[in-house]
Amino acid sequence: MEDFEDDPRTLGARGHRRSVSRGSYQLQAQMNRAVYEDRPPGSVVPTSVAEASRAMAGDTSLSENYAFAGMYHVFDQHVDEAVPRVRFANDDRHRLACCSLDGSISLCQLVPAPPTVLRVLRGHTRGVSDFAWSLSNDILVSTSLDATMRIWASEDGRCIREIPDPDGAELLCCTFQPVNNNLTVVGNAKHNLHVMNISTGKKVKGGSSKLTGRVLALSFDAPGRLLWAGDDRGSVFSFLFDMATGKLTKAKRLMVHEGSPVTSISARSWVSREARDPSLLINACLNKLLLYRVVDNEGTLQLKRSFPIEQSSHPVRSIFCPLMSFRQGACVVTGSEDMCVHFFDVERAAKAAVNKLQGHSAPVLDVSFNCDESLLASSDASGMVIVWRREQK
């Protein structure tokens, strides 16, 4: 990983049906936020956090944690177009949202049975590329190929505000600043990042920066002081985020692989008892899922290991599982172009594959866990969303 300054390139919905055959890690981020910065070097993970996570996970083995019995429900209201993003609400078991290239966003409720589409948010004139829940789940922000971002009230589906991209470019990704949800970072097709104030609809002074390619993926660390951005040229940049002003400062740059689009970045403060370093999970059209260690406070990355998947052209995403498994290892989950959902143990030296879910008929683009890992949602390039149920012992 190199210093950025040395880089010469710096210059009409269908129904849904029941089948009987994200993850969201904001909860863990909240628990980690207070203790992460003050943890002495080399110390064991915080005991209170470890015990809380162990209790939520049920103190079961890794294979038991990720043994899914089959499909809980199938949503097909977006089957005419791909669903690039699916996310459970933060700290929530049963609220789910997904966005579609048909230009809409669906808000779904999984309990009580049968699961239902509560409302469909319409207003974008082209495909919705990304969206994010606010920490309190009262609003959503979405980005679209129509060069606008929209702010929605989740309670009634109202569009609170429409904000045009400052460059008039297609907007490709977005993320909330985790501590100050009044600020949202968006990435566009003209290679630019912008920090936007969603209350005023204006970009923050000093909150813009240029990458080497189209900005496809964004992720903050849990305290909100580091931001990583990935582009379609194969680069990942780290930025220091000024909490008081929203200003971005370029820090480091990693070339993951020249010309391989970075389609997903997911940050985690610590993964397991055996992997106590901050980590980054990256998809980059390399037929591999990449796990990096964050080695300093400027976001420098060091490759730890990779896992085999099929991804050469689609915008596949991956996540860390929201709960840590302390008896053995820790898991990550990813979509794949082989139409399967893959689970990998990041600490198992050999045979890292833990589980594989089959049921999609198109490349799986995104995955999301609910807060207690009892349900997993996955979306694909044909517009299908499958909710998987963990096997009950």
Side-chain angles (χ1 to χ4, degrees):
M1 196 153 191
E2 62 192 43
D3 288 283
F4 183 90
E5 287 74 19
D6 295 333
D7 181 10
R9 289 183 292 177
T10 63
L11 307 173
R14 293 185 177 167
H16 58 283
R17 63 177 181 272
R18 185 178 179 85
S19 175
V20 294
S21 140
R22 284 24 111 95
S24 168
Y25 58 90
Q26 288 287 347
L27 172 64
Q28 191 60 53
Q30 292 175 68
M31 291 192 292
N32 286 350
R33 192 170 298 145
V35 296
Y36 169 65
E37 290 296 312
D38 299 325
R39 181 162 52 87
S43 64
V44 179
V45 292
T47 302
S48 60
V49 175
E51 291 307 317
S53 297
R54 174 184 251 171
M56 290 181 71
D59 200 25
T60 52
S61 71
L62 194 72
S63 58
E64 289 172 324
N65 278 349
Y66 303 111
F68 280 73
M71 298 178 189
Y72 174 72
H73 196 79
V74 177
F75 290 101
D76 63 359
Q77 66 269 20
H78 298 296
V79 291
D80 292 329
E81 296 282 356
V83 172
R85 198 64 147 150
V86 59
R87 288 185 167 186
F88 277 94
N90 298 310
D91 194 18
D92 197 292
R93 296 179 63 192
H94 301 128
R95 269 193 298 173
L96 180 72
C98 57
C99 67
S100 171
L101 294 185
D102 67 12
S104 67
I105 303 166
S106 292
L107 303 184
C108 308
Q109 185 75 31
L110 303 182
V111 170
T116 58
V117 178
L118 293 176
R119 57 190 57 87
V120 179
L121 313 183
R122 304 184 190 279
H124 285 296
T125 58
R126 293 185 62 195
V128 181
S129 55
D130 198 3
F131 76 95
W133 293 91
S134 66
L135 194 58
S136 58
N137 297 321
D138 56 338
I139 64 172
L140 292 91
V141 62
S142 61
T143 53
S144 171
L145 305 182
D146 67 8
T148 70
M149 62 182 293
R150 284 178 177 253
I151 316 301
W152 309 87
S154 61
E155 183 66 28
D156 56 13
R158 282 182 304 113
C159 180
I160 300 170
R161 179 171 283 109
E162 179 182 1
I163 304 172
D165 176 61
D167 305 314
E170 294 178 341
L171 284 169
L172 307 176
C173 54
C174 61
T175 186
F176 276 105
Q177 209 287 335
V179 175
N180 180 2
N181 274 190
N182 196 45
L183 300 179
T184 302
V185 183
V186 297
N188 71 24
K190 289 189 176 178
H191 308 185
N192 288 323
L193 281 180
H194 296 296
V195 181
M196 306 296 296
N197 184 313
I198 63 173
S199 294
T200 65
K202 297 179 180 179
K203 67 178 180 178
V204 172
K205 184 177 181 180
S208 296
S209 191
K210 198 171 190 69
L211 276 63
T212 55
R214 291 157 52 93
V215 186
L216 303 181
L218 298 167
S219 184
F220 273 101
D221 68 349
R225 298 189 181 100
L226 270 175
L227 172 71
W228 288 274
D231 66 27
D232 67 348
R233 302 284 182 88
S235 291
V236 173
F237 298 81
S238 66
F239 296 86
L240 306 179
F241 188 91
D242 188 310
M243 304 289 285
T245 66
K247 180 181 178 182
L248 291 175
T249 302
K250 297 170 186 173
K252 299 290 183 177
R253 171 180 173 267
L254 170 73
M255 176 58 76
V256 176
H257 190 271
E258 183 99 37
S260 296
V262 175
T263 61
S264 177
I265 303 175
S266 182
R268 186 63 171 268
S269 293
W270 52 280
V271 178
S272 72
R273 189 181 296 276
E274 294 77 23
R276 299 195 297 271
D277 298 313
S279 300
L280 221 61
L281 196 60
I282 291 177
N283 292 84
C285 292
L286 287 170
N287 291 316
K288 295 177 184 178
L289 176 64
L290 305 171
L291 179 67
Y292 286 87
R293 179 183 292 109
V294 182
V295 299
D296 61 24
N297 58 11
E298 291 192 333
T300 302
L301 301 176
Q302 180 182 80
L303 183 63
K304 182 177 180 180
R305 66 177 305 182
S306 63
F307 308 93
I309 63 169
E310 289 187 25
Q311 186 194 1
S312 59
S313 59
H314 285 77
V316 171
R317 296 179 184 270
S318 58
I319 54 169
F320 289 98
C321 295
L323 302 181
M324 274 75 60
S325 302
F326 290 93
R327 292 182 62 181
Q328 41 177 309
C331 260
V332 295
V333 182
T334 182
S336 177
E337 291 175 5
D338 65 359
M339 301 181 288
C340 297
V341 177
H342 294 268
F343 297 68
F344 295 104
D345 180 354
V346 301
E347 291 303 315
R348 188 183 293 177
K351 297 183 178 179
V354 173
N355 197 1
K356 181 170 72 171
L357 304 180
Q358 298 173 297
H360 286 279
S361 58
V364 180
L365 303 182
D366 196 19
V367 286
S368 178
F369 267 113
N370 67 351
C371 64
D372 67 356
E373 295 185 353
S374 60
L375 297 172
L376 173 74
S378 54
S379 63
D380 68 30
S382 72
M384 196 73 72
V385 174
I386 298 177
V387 181
W388 310 84
R389 178 180 56 226
R390 190 172 67 179
E391 188 174 79
Q392 300 299 312
K393 294 292 183 180

